[in-house]
Structure formats: C-alpha cells, structure tokens
Amino acid sequence: MKKFWKNTILSILLFFAIMFARVIHAESSLDEIKERGYIKVSTNADFDPFEYKDGDKIIGIDVDIARKLAEYMGFGIEINDVSFDALTLELSSGACDFAIAAMSYSDEKAQSVDFSDPYYNAKNVVIVPVESSIKSVDEILDKRIGVALGFTGDIYCTEHFPSADIHRYDTASDAVLDLLSGRIDAVVIDDVPARKLVNVSDGEARVVDGYLFEESYRVAVPKGEKELLDEINTSIAKMKTDGEIDKIVAQYVGVSGGESVDLIAQIYNNLVNKDRYKMILSGLATTLEITVVALFIGLLIGFTLALINVSKSKNIIMKFLKIAANFYITVIRGTPVVVQIFVIYYLIFASTGLPKLLVAMIAFGINSGAYVAEIVRGGILSVDSGQYEAGRSLGLSAGTTMKHIILPQAVKNVLSSLTGEFINLIKETSVAGFIGVMDLSRAGNIIRSQTYEPVVPLMTVALIYFVLVALLTVVFSLIERRMRSSDKR
Amino acid sequence: MISVKNLYKEFKQDDKILYVLNGISVDFKKGEKVAIIGPSGSGKSTFLRCINALETPTSGEIFFKERKVDSSSSEIDDIRKNIGMVFQHFNLFPHMTIFENITFAPTMLKIYSPSQAKELAMALLEKVGLKDKWNVHPSRLSGGQKQRVAIVRSLMMNPEVMLFDEPTSALDPEVVKDVIGLMIEIAKSGMTMIMVTHEMSFVRRAATRVIFMDEGKIIADTTPENFFNNCENVRISKFLNKLI
Ligand SMILES: Nc1ncnc2c1ncn2[C@@H]1O[C@H](COP(=O)(O)OP(=O)(O)O)[C@@H](O)[C@H]1O
Ligand SMILES: [Mg+2]
C-alpha cells in the first residue's frame, strides 16, 4: 500500500526520530508494557478496510489484528491515529510500542524500525469495467491506469509500465469512479479494497484474474526491541494457525456499501446510516474552529506586519523588521497554501509533537496574516496623511495617533476586503485534510470513501460551505453598513 | 518664544532637488500676531510645518522656549501640546463626533479630567455657535463649521502659540467671516499667533507683524502699516496688486 512518497521530508523526520530515540529510550519496551499493562499502538486510519474511521472510532482489519495480538500477548491496548509519515517518529520516540498500518518491508524503513514476520499477504490486482476486453493483468502495460497516489500499486506501475498513462488519485474509490465513467481503462490496487470496491460497484466492475505482484504486511516495532519483536512474531504465528487472520479479513470484505440507487436511499446511506452526519457535523465544527483561531492569529500577525511596514522609523531594528516582514509577505503570498501547510506540519513543527489541529490553526493563521497585512497596510495608506498630522500636532504620540485616529478609519476603509479574507479562509481550510485533520471537506471525503457514492457527500459539503459563506456575507455587510452610516450621524 | 535659526529645507523629487526653504532666521515673541504672506509655492506651509516638526529641516534649528524642536526627540509631543495647529483642510477626525474630536486629545493627554474637558468643550462650542452639533460627525458640518471646530480643537489644548495655515482658503466666501471673526477674538485674548493667510482685511485688523516670503526666503519683515503703505519692493507690490 502506501509508501513514503515524500522522501526528503522523511529523511529529515528520520533525523529527528533518531535524535529522539537516543534521548528518550532507556528501558526495554516489553518491560514498559508489562509495567503499564497495555500496549500503545499507532496506525494511520486512512486505508479502508485495513484501518479507517467510523465516526471517531478507529476500526479495520489491522485494528482487529492488533487487538487480537494484544490479547494473545496478554495485554490491553490503546490505539492512536497519526499521519502515515509520523509512524516512524512515533516508534523511535517511544510514543507507541508498535505500528500497524498495512506496511510492507523496505530497506529504507528498515534502517529506523524493525519489522515482524508478515501477518498478511496482499496481492495487487487489476479492476476493469465489466465489459472491458482486458483478460489478464499484463494487458494493461500500455493502458490508462488509475492508482492511489503513493501506494505500492503506484510505485510498481510507474516502474514496470513506462508506456502506460498513469493517473494518480487520492483514494482508490476515486480511481474506480473514473474507471466507471470511462476516463481510465484499469485500476491497480490491493485485493482486499479491490474486492470491496467491486462489491459496491453494482456489477459494473470486475477484478481481472491473477495478480500483478504480492506484498507482505508487517508490524513495525522500535529498532532493537528484540524481546517485543519475538513476542509479536510468536503471536502472529499462533493467529495464523488458529485461522484468526482469515476470519478477520473475511469479516471486512463481506461488508457491502449497500446498493442505494435512488437519491433518497443515497442520502440515507451517506448521511444517516451509521450516524455519518455526525462526522459532517464534527468536521464542520473543526472547520469553524480552525477558521476562527486562524483568523485571530492572522489578524494579530497582519496588523503587526502592517504597522511595521508603514512605520517611518529609521531605526536599524525597524529596518530589519521591515525587510523580514516583506520577505514573509512575499513568500506566503507567492506560494500555495497546500505547500505551506505541508512545510509547516512536516518540517517546522515536525519535532514538536503539537496536535495537528493546532498546527493547522497556526498554518492558516500564518497564511492569512500575510494577506491581512497587505489589506491593512492598504487601509492605513488610504487614510489622508492630514489625519496623522492633526493627531501628532495635538501632542498625541505616534502610537496613540495610529491606534485611535488612523486604524479605526483604516479598518473601516478595508472592512470588505477583511471580511473577504475571512470568507476565503473558511474555504481554504479545506486543505487541512492534507495533514489528516478531519475538517468538513475531509469528512465528506471519508464518507465518500466508505460508501463509494460521491454525489451526496460532495453536494452536502458544498452546500454547507455555501450556506456558511452566504450567512457570513450577509452578517458582514450589515456590520459594514452600520459602521459606514455611523460617520454620517 | 520661538526662535528660528538658518533654516533650510529641500525635497528630493525623482532625481531633482527642490530647494523650498533657503536660510530663514526669525524670532517670534510672546503675544505677537504674525501674518505670513507670499506667492503660492514660496514655502510658507513648509516653514509653518517645520515649527511643530511635522517637517524635518534639512539644516538649521528651531527653538520653542529654549527647547529644541526635533521630531525624533522624546520631548516633541510635549512641545506640540503647546503649539496648536489649524490646517487648510481642517483635518477633523471623521470617525469621531464633534465632541470627541475636541475632547479626545486633552483627555487622552490628561490635560483635563473628562468632566473638566466636557465643561470647557461645551463652553467653547457655545461660543462658536455650534453647541447643538456636539454629537454629530464632521460630515454633517459645512466647511466654515468644520474650521471653527478645528480651531476649538486646538484651543482645547490651551496652547501658548497657534499656527494657522490658510485657514480660510478652502472655504466658501460667505463663511470666511465666521472663521475670521473667531480668529480675531482669539487674537484679542492675547494668544501668540502665526498665520499664513491671504485675507488682507484680516491682516490689517489683527496682525501686529507681517512677513513676506518668496522662494524660501523672507523678503520683508515689518509692521502692517509699513507693509501696505510704504512698499518699495517690486515683488511685494506685484503680489498685492494681484490680490486686489
Ligand atoms: N512633501 C513634499 N514633497 C515634495 N515637495 C514638496 C513637499 N511639500 C511641499 N513641497 C513643495 O515645496 C514647495 C513649497 O511648498 P509649500 O511650502 O506648500 O508652499 P506654500 O505653502 O507657500 O504654497 C512647493 O513647490 C511644493 O510642491
Ligand atoms: Mg501652503
């Protein structure tokens, strides 16, 4: 399945991980677990059906396997969801005892973690439309192939099918949607999700006989924890002979997304069934939280930078601050917010262990700050210079004049731009999902990946954003009108 | 009270240097009412703005009661409190009511307690006939009313000297006399005043001294009688003829 596709980021993370490991790790993991009484397990609940979220519950094949493993070993369990890239870091820092996330062996990863024996053999198979003429897996080598970005299917096809036209999607279900609408000829994905995808395709897709390649899923443990690794390997072997693993897999593949043909049934399945609306609501709450906090951070940064920028001081520190402020504004306005949030999450805050919601708030605050700074600067410059002179000539200090004379007028002049920035911010927070924050957009995406029905989740999310923005627009224009008329009293 | 020594001011415009003030030395005494007259662009406003450090001279010095006027010194706010300034375009604060406009600075700078400020503000507004406007915003006032409020705003600070930069030239002719009337009253109260103005009747009535500026220099510095009656300077008579 997933591979480390952000290679440079990974190496930096590893660097930190190893440093952490040196500092924190003293006692053997197994002893710690025994003392504690339960095992701490990390996964990346983003890969239906191996590990995914149902509401806020983390479930899936791997999760059940981990529970069984803990049971065999005689411990309780605590499961945490982290980003896939953070798993290595979690292991080396001792934040978890083992990681299970449909991971296969790679030399690269083996440098920082140890792998158990395989607990499951995944075959990468090919899905095609029922009526497709493709009969065997090697017929796809020059076709349009859909893969999930960064999954092993992506790596394999890129390497082995140089003449194929490879389309990369965020999730396998998105790839299957495109397959059914004829934009691509085949989808390459692990057999378990493949079976599930075909199950819910209403007989429109099928799995081609045979498989492209096989990979073994293994549990990852911190480097050098031999005792723990031995325990895990023994338990895996036992689970295999007991037939426990097959039982668990069968349970999940059998799950059908439900065949909801008409819209009412789709609405029921996507929003009501399994309390999925709760996910939308909690996503909405997260979106609002991020927006509001980011707005405050943005205003704080923005006003500070604007004041630095318009300052007439010839002080050397001020001059330096001005250059720094301009650099910040230029860089932030000159790069996409998605890239910013990645850099902030994976590079700048990687080693701090701050919750990702907080990181998202900070990232969007930093982003918004640059835009607010320019808006406010424009507002300050739009105030007649005579206002400043009148204030100063009365003996008011530069600060008082700015605060009580200039800024109130400046803000009034740019109020509509500021509210526009706020509204923009709401919509832009939709990329928070890229670092795994469950905001409104991501809630929709998760539902879509569970039901394989795109219409209702997408439209619901769109509608909520729209209503939100429309409401705010009305509220803001009322406030604006009020502020404007107040001067004419 | 104010002493100006060898004042020069240049503005850099594109790659040209504009020499606006070219060596001005002059002293103003307490109680004087000085009218500064001169053609447009001769540097009158720049000179006035140097006196309260709204403009920083290129060279030369200005002293207000032995204290150096320097825009970067920490004393400047204290000096400015004592130098009132009235602008051609009033520069009232549009987001404040008339009452707030005139009481904000004195209360902020703790010159008066809020209740004292209120008492004084209402008394002064009454005097200039604008008491009923105390709670409206400047956009509701005519130009003449705005300028009277601006003058009251300066008076509220109880300054030792007041600077006027063409206070009537943005006004409709019929309201000029209201503002002039107010300035004459202030003059009668003994205030030291330095006024850039083209209102010759006002200069005749209220000024005790006339300074004529041209090309950044003081050409004449004399009494009003001398200025209007015994004028030998060609530029001055040309200028005066144009006005009439
Ligand atoms: N901030 C400034 N930057 C550049 N040139 C200026 C500035 N202020 C005034 N000047 C120029 O200086 C000259 C004198 O201006 P000013 O003192 O306003 O003259 P006056 O008030 O006598 O009409 C004019 O040519 C004007 O264009
Ligand atoms: Mg002027």
Side-chain angles (χ1 to χ4, degrees):
Chain A
M1 60 152 300
K2 292 175 212 174
K3 262 219 158 176
F4 293 93
W5 54 279
K6 303 166 206 95
N7 263 321
T8 39
I9 291 171
L10 175 74
S11 12
I12 293 163
L13 282 176
L14 280 182
F15 172 75
F16 285 118
I18 289 160
M19 288 201 337
F20 264 64
R22 300 256 151 86
V23 180
I24 297 166
H25 248 238
E27 213 180 339
S28 120
S29 283
L30 196 58
D31 292 342
E32 265 180 55
I33 297 167
K34 279 179 185 153
E35 257 169 57
R36 204 190 304 128
Y38 63 93
I39 301 191
K40 289 196 282 190
V41 177
S42 286
T43 187
N44 170 232
D46 213 0
F47 187 53
D48 185 1
F50 278 91
E51 42 265 325
Y52 60 102
K53 278 193 170 159
D54 190 21
D56 0 310
K57 267 199 343 234
I58 307 168
I59 58 168
I61 296 173
D62 280 346
V63 180
D64 284 2
I65 289 177
R67 284 185 199 289
K68 233 3 185 231
L69 269 178
E71 194 184 307
Y72 272 55
M73 290 159 73
F75 299 121
I77 189 165
E78 178 194 287
I79 296 178
N80 280 306
D81 176 30
V82 301
S83 86
F84 192 72
D85 290 340
L87 287 173
T88 323
L89 185 63
E90 294 260 323
L91 284 169
S92 0
S93 65
C96 74
D97 303 310
F98 72 78
I100 185 162
M103 274 186 287
S104 45
Y105 177 91
S106 82
D107 290 340
E108 219 172 8
K109 275 183 281 180
Q111 282 170 10
S112 43
V113 300
D114 284 338
F115 282 105
S116 73
D117 297 335
Y119 59 84
Y120 181 79
N121 284 329
K123 298 180 177 70
N124 265 258
V125 297
V126 177
I127 306 177
V128 293
V130 200
E131 70 281 2
S132 166
S133 60
I134 295 173
K135 293 260 147 32
S136 78
V137 290
D138 30 68
E139 280 175 52
I140 66 168
L141 85 167
D142 56 353
K143 296 281 194 303
R144 295 173 299 176
I145 305 174
V147 294
L149 177 69
F151 282 38
T152 40
D154 178 8
I155 320 271
Y156 180 89
C157 292
T158 310
E159 219 176 281
H160 292 81
F161 303 140
S163 53
D165 177 11
I166 296 174
H167 297 238
R168 295 175 180 83
Y169 298 86
D170 273 349
T171 64
S173 58
D174 288 347
V176 171
L177 287 174
D178 254 10
L179 179 80
L180 295 181
S181 61
R183 292 201 192 96
I184 49 176
D185 304 310
V187 172
V188 171
I189 190 70
D190 307 37
D191 55 353
V192 174
R195 268 143 71 190
K196 195 168 170 180
L197 284 166
V198 168
N199 252 353
V200 296
S201 76
D202 248 351
E204 287 187 50
R206 63 179 166 85
V207 176
V208 177
D209 286 340
Y211 61 91
L212 281 176
F213 64 97
E214 206 174 14
E215 58 180 321
S216 307
Y217 291 166
R218 297 160 193 267
V219 171
V221 297
K223 194 121 196 93
E225 295 293 346
K226 189 150 179 344
E227 282 176 317
L228 177 64
L229 188 61
D230 287 345
E231 282 272 331
I232 290 174
N233 280 337
T234 318
S235 303
I236 288 176
K238 239 197 249 147
M239 281 174 72
K240 276 186 179 164
T241 45
D242 293 355
E244 284 290 348
I245 289 181
D246 291 339
K247 228 158 73 189
I248 292 171
V249 172
Q251 233 174 26
Y252 279 89
V253 178
V255 175
S256 154
E259 277 143 53
S260 30
V261 202
D262 62 31
L263 191 62
I264 303 292
Q266 279 201 22
I267 290 173
Y268 175 81
N269 188 31
N270 282 282
L271 299 180
V272 185
N273 194 14
K274 298 192 175 167
D275 285 350
R276 290 198 169 111
Y277 68 93
K278 279 189 183 155
M279 226 192 292
I280 298 268
L281 288 181
S282 91
L284 173 62
T286 305
T287 290
L288 291 176
E289 270 167 41
I290 296 177
T291 310
V292 169
V293 176
L295 180 80
F296 277 102
I297 298 175
L299 288 175
L300 201 71
I301 296 178
F303 273 84
T304 311
L305 294 190
L307 290 177
I308 290 174
N309 252 332
V310 299
S311 135
K312 295 188 186 79
S313 164
K314 294 187 176 66
N315 182 314
I316 183 92
I317 299 171
M318 243 4 234
K319 275 187 177 163
F320 170 77
L321 283 178
K322 248 184 215 191
I323 293 171
N326 277 318
F327 177 75
Y328 169 89
I329 291 168
T330 315
V331 167
I332 295 292
R333 285 167 32 113
T335 51
V337 64
V338 188
V339 175
Q340 289 163 20
I341 195 169
F342 269 131
V343 168
I344 290 169
Y345 184 65
Y346 287 108
L347 294 181
I348 299 172
F349 284 109
S351 58
T352 59
L354 281 185
K356 47 183 131 188
L357 183 64
L358 198 60
V359 175
M361 288 165 173
I362 295 171
F364 287 110
I366 288 175
N367 175 270
S368 186
Y371 291 90
V372 173
E374 282 301 274
I375 293 172
V376 174
R377 189 176 71 101
I380 291 173
L381 294 180
S382 75
V383 177
D384 179 45
S385 63
Q387 291 291 309
Y388 184 77
E389 293 180 350
R392 294 308 302 273
S393 76
L394 286 166
L396 298 171
S397 69
T400 309
T401 307
M402 187 48 87
K403 186 171 158 205
H404 295 277
I405 311 286
I406 308 298
L407 279 183
Q409 300 182 52
V411 167
K412 193 174 295 178
N413 288 350
V414 295
L415 201 63
S416 63
S417 311
L418 277 179
T419 56
E421 167 58 20
F422 182 37
I423 283 168
N424 243 346
L425 189 61
I426 294 182
K427 292 181 283 177
E428 278 195 342
T429 55
S430 61
V431 303
F434 277 85
I435 58 166
V437 173
M438 226 272 284
D439 72 321
L440 179 57
S441 291
R442 190 165 154 84
N445 288 344
I446 291 174
I447 293 177
R448 184 161 53 102
S449 75
Q450 289 173 359
T451 61
Y452 302 97
E453 290 164 354
V455 179
V456 175
L458 285 176
M459 292 312 286
T460 307
V461 167
L463 191 70
I464 293 178
Y465 277 114
F466 178 77
V467 170
L468 215 55
V469 167
L471 272 177
L472 283 169
T473 311
V474 170
V475 171
F476 286 144
S477 64
L478 281 178
I479 295 176
E480 244 175 277
R481 201 174 315 158
R482 242 187 124 154
M483 283 184 78
R484 265 183 221 301
S485 62
S486 74
D487 281 7
K488 304 206 173 72
R489 208 178 56 214
Chain B
M1 175 148 63
I2 293 173
S3 177
V4 180
K5 299 210 165 91
N6 227 0
L7 195 66
Y8 286 83
K9 175 68 184 176
E10 305 162 0
F11 286 110
K12 289 199 181 59
Q13 255 185 348
D14 304 326
D15 29 56
K16 258 193 352 236
I17 295 180
L18 207 60
Y19 299 94
V20 175
L21 297 180
N22 299 305
I24 290 191
S25 296
V26 68
D27 283 303
F28 300 114
K29 287 198 240 356
K30 188 166 162 53
E32 276 191 310
K33 289 86 175 86
V34 185
I36 299 179
I37 297 171
S40 163
S42 57
K44 306 179 298 291
S45 296
T46 308
F47 173 51
L48 213 58
R49 291 156 55 78
C50 282
I51 294 176
N52 72 351
L54 288 181
E55 229 43 278
T56 307
T58 311
S59 71
E61 289 176 313
I62 297 170
F63 293 91
F64 174 78
K65 298 173 89 181
E66 267 79 63
R67 293 153 88 189
K68 191 169 167 10
V69 176
D70 173 359
S71 65
S72 57
S73 98
S74 56
E75 277 198 310
I76 189 64
D77 289 338
D78 200 51
I79 292 178
R80 279 176 176 148
K81 274 195 258 180
N82 293 303
I83 306 179
M85 175 119 183
V86 176
F87 301 87
Q88 182 176 352
H89 295 288
F90 335 125
N91 298 358
L92 293 180
F93 307 134
H95 60 300
M96 297 181 179
T97 62
I98 302 310
F99 180 78
E100 289 163 344
N101 259 280
I102 61 179
T103 54
F104 177 73
T107 1
M108 191 77 192
L109 298 170
K110 302 208 160 61
I111 291 171
Y112 297 116
S113 72
S115 61
Q116 282 174 319
K118 182 170 182 183
E119 209 170 299
L120 182 61
M122 295 318 273
L124 285 173
L125 284 178
E126 170 132 55
K127 203 166 139 192
V128 301
L130 293 171
K131 197 178 176 193
D132 55 327
K133 304 283 188 197
W134 71 280
N135 200 24
V136 304
H137 283 79
S139 60
R140 281 296 187 86
L141 300 188
S142 72
Q145 293 173 325
K146 281 182 191 162
Q147 194 60 297
R148 279 180 278 156
V149 171
I151 293 172
V152 168
R153 181 173 67 180
S154 280
L155 280 177
M156 283 290 292
M157 297 296 293
N158 199 16
E160 296 183 47
V161 54
M162 286 179 79
L163 313 176
F164 295 82
D165 190 356
E166 303 200 30
T168 57
S169 52
L171 300 179
D172 293 334
E174 62 271 21
V175 300
V176 166
K177 63 174 194 316
D178 297 343
V179 173
I180 299 272
L182 177 56
M183 287 171 68
I184 288 176
E185 263 186 64
I186 295 170
K188 279 184 191 153
S189 76
M191 176 72 69
T192 313
M193 296 162 84
I194 304 173
M195 318 162 270
V196 174
T197 180
H198 292 145
E199 289 298 323
M200 291 309 153
S201 61
F202 168 68
V203 174
R204 276 180 217 270
R205 276 178 72 189
T208 59
R209 182 177 170 189
V210 176
I211 287 178
F212 187 87
M213 278 181 71
D214 194 20
E215 296 185 344
K217 287 196 184 106
I218 294 180
I219 307 279
D221 182 353
T222 180
T223 59
E225 298 86 60
N226 251 332
F227 182 75
F228 291 111
N229 304 329
N230 327 317
C231 177
E232 311 95 57
N233 190 299
V234 220
R235 265 141 131 190
I236 298 176
S237 32
K238 241 186 171 170
F239 175 78
L240 287 176
N241 283 336
K242 249 194 240 160
L243 278 183
I244 302 160

Coordinates of all heavy atoms in Angstrom, one line a residue, chain B residues 41 44-46 88 165-166 196, ligand 2:
Chain B
G41 N 3.7 78.4 -3.3 CA 4.9 77.6 -3.6 C 6.1 78.3 -3.0 O 7.2 77.8 -3.2
K44 N 5.7 78.8 2.5 CA 5.0 79.2 3.7 C 4.6 78.0 4.6 O 4.9 77.9 5.8 CB 3.8 80.1 3.4 CG 4.1 81.3 2.5 CD 2.9 82.1 2.2 CE 1.8 81.3 1.4 NZ 2.1 81.0 0.1
S45 N 3.9 77.1 3.9 CA 3.4 75.9 4.6 C 4.5 75.1 5.2 O 4.5 74.7 6.4 CB 2.5 75.0 3.7 OG 1.4 75.7 3.3
T46 N 5.5 74.9 4.4 CA 6.7 74.1 4.8 C 7.3 74.8 6.1 O 7.7 74.1 7.0 CB 7.7 74.0 3.7 OG1 7.0 73.5 2.5 CG2 8.8 73.1 4.0
Q88 N -5.5 74.0 6.6 CA -6.3 74.5 5.5 C -7.5 73.5 5.3 O -8.6 74.0 5.1 CB -5.5 74.5 4.2 CG -6.2 75.0 3.0 CD -5.3 75.2 1.8 OE1 -4.1 75.0 1.9 NE2 -5.9 75.5 0.7
D165 N -2.6 77.6 8.9 CA -2.1 77.5 7.5 C -3.3 77.7 6.6 O -4.0 76.8 6.3 CB -1.4 76.2 7.3 CG -0.7 76.1 6.0 OD1 -0.8 77.1 5.2 OD2 -0.1 75.1 5.7
E166 N -3.4 78.9 6.1 CA -4.5 79.3 5.2 C -5.8 78.7 5.7 O -6.5 78.0 5.0 CB -4.2 78.8 3.8 CG -2.9 79.3 3.2 CD -2.8 79.3 1.7 OE1 -3.9 79.4 1.1 OE2 -1.7 79.1 1.2
V196 N -0.5 81.9 8.1 CA -0.4 82.0 6.7 C -1.7 82.4 6.2 O -2.7 81.6 6.4 CB 0.1 80.7 6.0 CG1 0.1 80.9 4.5 CG2 1.5 80.4 6.6
Ligands
MG2 MG 0.5 76.3 1.6

